[in-house]
Amino acid sequence: LVIDVVKGIQTQTAECLVIAEILMDNLLVVLNKVDAIPMAQREEKLAKIKKGLEKTFAATKFKTPEMVPVSATGGNADDPQPENLDGLVAKLSEVTRVPRRNRTGNLYFAIDHCFPIKGQ
C-alpha cells in the first residue's frame, strides 16, 4: 500500500486498504515522497507519521504492518535520485511469495474498472 507522506491517507488509499483486508493476509506500507520532508526534520516527522498510521492500522486486520520510506525521484523528476528503492526491493523480495498454480484449472481474471469505448 503506497501512502504519500505529504497527503496521508486519501480516499483511494482507504479503498485499497478495504480491498487488501478482503484479499490479503499481509501488508507492506510504502511511505512515498519522503524527499518532501526537509532532511533535518525527516527522522522526527517520519516517526510522527508512522505513529499516526499505526493507530489507523491497529483497527485493521494488519495491526502493525512494516513501513518502508522511499522517494522515487528524490524531489527532481528531471534528474531522479531515488531514495531507499533498494531497501524497498529487498523488502518486497523478502515478503513476496510465488503462488502455486493449477495449470489445468479455470483462469480467473480480476477486473477493477470497465470503461465503455465507442467504436468509430
Side-chain angles (χ1 to χ4, degrees):
L1 182 68
V2 179
I3 298 176
D4 179 328
V5 295
V6 176
K7 295 180 180 178
I9 293 181
Q10 301 291 295
T11 301
Q12 67 272 22
T13 315
E15 290 170 348
C16 289
L17 184 55
V18 169
I19 293 168
E21 283 201 277
I22 295 167
L23 299 175
M24 306 304 298
D25 294 323
N26 300 302
L27 184 72
L28 178 65
V29 177
V30 179
L31 302 175
N32 194 24
K33 299 185 183 179
V34 297
D35 58 282
I37 304 171
M39 189 61 82
Q41 303 166 347
R42 191 170 296 172
E43 188 174 332
E44 180 183 335
K45 287 205 173 198
L46 277 176
K48 186 176 179 181
I49 290 167
K50 286 180 180 181
K51 187 173 183 173
L53 290 172
E54 286 170 359
K55 290 178 184 176
T56 298
F57 289 115
T60 72
K61 76 179 201 177
F62 303 113
K63 303 296 181 214
T64 57
E66 287 194 59
M67 298 184 207
V68 180
V70 301
S71 171
T73 67
N76 186 348
D78 294 325
D79 182 26
Q81 301 294 320
E83 296 178 32
N84 199 32
L85 289 188
D86 290 339
L88 175 59
V89 169
K91 182 52 68 180
L92 285 169
S93 296
E94 178 185 318
V95 299
T96 301
R97 67 173 182 80
V98 177
R100 292 185 318 167
R101 306 274 184 209
N102 178 353
R103 296 182 185 270
T104 61
N106 293 328
L107 170 68
Y108 293 98
F109 188 79
I111 299 172
D112 184 27
H113 290 82
C114 294
F115 303 97
I117 300 174
K118 292 184 179 182
Q120 293 190 11

